[in-house]
């Protein structure tokens, strides 16, 4: 059993909404806080993709966090007419969805994007460089919440391109956010000095964003922020991931990002389908939101692991079952 302090559900099972929220991404409001890449070369083109099951056309308005219209907003979409919107190229200078080093660890007033329409639609943010690519699905109103656990890849090898990144956007004015329960040796990137506090208190107004990132040249940053507790007194939206990272103790990395959902919307049953990577990379991860959480794999009646709040379990690759797709059922007691 591999149990370490911290993290969240990763990759395919990061449909964090669970079976009961299967269409949570389809909504009339979407918020996307910005992210940060450690190496500018790891982000070039990044786009928004808007789609809907609705046959009749309708308009989607897009603004930044300060309420400024974004590019040619509003955009008209329908089921037969989705939209692809280029956000920017590169990270330096920053864009609405990717920020530079000097924007880390500080309140940002005109970053991130807010999308609204009278009918429900999907939003997917896609990022790429010559060697890396990643996609983030907005969870709509299901992404709004007051308690989260930060989750992304547990890393075992420091590499000059790797980091973790977690970002927030406030839904209402005077939102007070606390970030805690992480390794006290974690160091967050910021200018002119890194942030070394054992906990953080952040106050944001409606639409404002805040980006935390830690590079893997600090050993505690490999896994020390996984499972950190994020609490707020009013709803926020949280993006989390790595730009870039890997779960293997070897070279090679990729972008792994998503918008996570709050603890009160988590489920207890998940399905993971094996991807096309090496077995060292194809391993689902489960993070506990509550103490004494038992993790069962496939039809087992004995738990593979029992983990406490903020702890995670990386499931062995050999738990995948052969079939037309190698798959794995995952069930938790909480």
């Amino acid at each position: 059993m591999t149990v370490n302090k911290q993290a969240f559900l990763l990759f395919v099972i990061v449909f964090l909404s669970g079976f009961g929220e299967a269409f949570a991404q389809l909504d009339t409001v979407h918020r996307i806080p910005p992210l940060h890449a450690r190496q500018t070369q790891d982000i070039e083109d990044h786009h928004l993709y808007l789609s809907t099951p609705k046959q009749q056309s309708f308009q989607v308005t897009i603004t930044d966090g300060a309420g400024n219209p974004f590019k040619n907003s509003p955009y008209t979409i329908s089921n037969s007419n989705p939209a692809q919107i280029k956000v920017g190229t590169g990270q330096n200078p920053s864009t609405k969805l990717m920020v530079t080093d000097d924007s880390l660890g500080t309140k940002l007033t005109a970053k991130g994007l807010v999308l609204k329409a009278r009918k429900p639609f999907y939003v997917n943010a896609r990022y790429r460089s010559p060697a890396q690519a990643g996609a983030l699905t907005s969870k709509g109103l299901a992404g709004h919440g007051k308690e989260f656990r930060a989750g992304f890849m547990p890393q075992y090898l420091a590499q000059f391109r790797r980091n973790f990144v977690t970002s927030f956007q406030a839904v209402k004015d005077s939102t007070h956010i606390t970030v805690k329960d992480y390794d006290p040796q974690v160091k967050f990137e910021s200018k002119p000095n890194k942030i070394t506090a054992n906990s953080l208190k952040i106050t944001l107004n409606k639409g404002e964003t805040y980006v935390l990132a830690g590079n893997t040249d600090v050993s505690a940053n490999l896994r020390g922020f996984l499972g950190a507790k994020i609490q707020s007194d009013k709803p926020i939206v949280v993006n989390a991931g790595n730009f870039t990272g890997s779960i293997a103790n070897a070279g090679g990395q990729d972008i792994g990002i998503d918008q996570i959902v709050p603890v009160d919307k988590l489920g207890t049953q998940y399905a993971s389908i094996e991807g096309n990577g090496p077995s060292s990379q194809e391993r689902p991860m489960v993070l506990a939101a509550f103490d004494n959480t038992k993790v069962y794999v496939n039809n087992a009646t004995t738990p593979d692991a029992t983990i406490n709040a903020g702890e995670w379990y990386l499931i062995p690759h050999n738990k995948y079952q052969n079939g037309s797709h190698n798959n794995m059922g995952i069930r938790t007691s909480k």
Side-chain angles (χ1 to χ4, degrees), residues 8-31:
F8 232 74
L9 298 173
L10 190 63
F11 300 132
V12 176
I13 62 169
V14 147
F15 294 136
L16 291 172
S17 42
F19 293 153
E21 301 281 350
F23 298 100
Q25 310 96 302
L26 183 65
D27 220 321
T28 58
V29 178
H30 296 270
R31 301 176 188 274

Side-chain angles (χ1 to χ4, degrees), residues 4 28 38 115 158 197 269 311:
N4 284 313
T28 58
R38 181 176 176 182
L115 301 90
Q269 295 185 70
E311 293 179 344

Side-chain angles (χ1 to χ4, degrees), residues 178-247:
T178 300
V179 184
K180 60 183 181 179
D181 294 352
Y182 54 84
D183 187 328
Q185 300 303 311
V186 164
K187 295 182 180 180
F188 304 101
E189 294 299 313
S190 186
K191 299 292 184 179
N193 300 309
K194 294 185 178 183
I195 299 172
T196 58
N198 292 348
S199 64
L200 302 174
K201 293 186 180 297
I202 304 157
T203 299
L204 300 178
N205 286 324
K206 181 179 179 179
E208 291 181 338
T209 60
Y210 192 98
V211 184
L212 289 172
N215 297 341
T216 57
D217 56 351
V218 176
S219 59
N221 290 355
L222 290 168
R223 299 180 295 279
F225 192 65
L226 289 173
K229 192 172 188 177
I230 302 163
Q231 289 181 303
S232 60
D233 61 348
K234 298 176 183 178
I236 60 174
V237 173
V238 181
N239 288 345
N242 307 88
F243 237 106
T244 61
S246 173
I247 65 171

Side-chain angles (χ1 to χ4, degrees), residues 5 34 79 115 127 155 160 170 174 184 192-193 235 250 285 290 298 305 333-334:
K5 180 95 169 61
N79 179 254
L115 301 90
Y127 309 77
Q155 302 193 73
F160 73 96
S174 300
N193 300 309
M285 185 176 68
F290 304 98
N298 298 320
S333 61
K334 300 184 181 182

Side-chain angles (χ1 to χ4, degrees), residues 76-146:
T76 300
I77 65 171
S78 67
N79 179 254
S80 60
N81 182 40
Q84 174 182 327
I85 305 162
K86 186 172 183 178
V87 177
T89 301
Q91 180 177 271
N92 191 8
S94 65
T95 72
K96 297 300 180 182
L97 293 184
M98 295 298 302
V99 300
T100 54
D101 291 354
D102 57 3
S103 294
L104 298 174
T106 187
K107 181 168 60 178
L108 305 174
T109 58
K111 295 297 183 181
L113 292 173
V114 181
L115 301 90
K116 296 182 178 180
R118 297 182 66 181
K119 297 181 180 180
F121 62 105
Y122 297 105
V123 178
N124 190 252
R126 303 181 188 180
Y127 309 77
R128 71 166 188 166
S129 73
Q132 323 292 344
L136 176 154
T137 299
S138 170
K139 301 305 186 293
L141 293 175
H144 293 194
K146 298 180 182 179

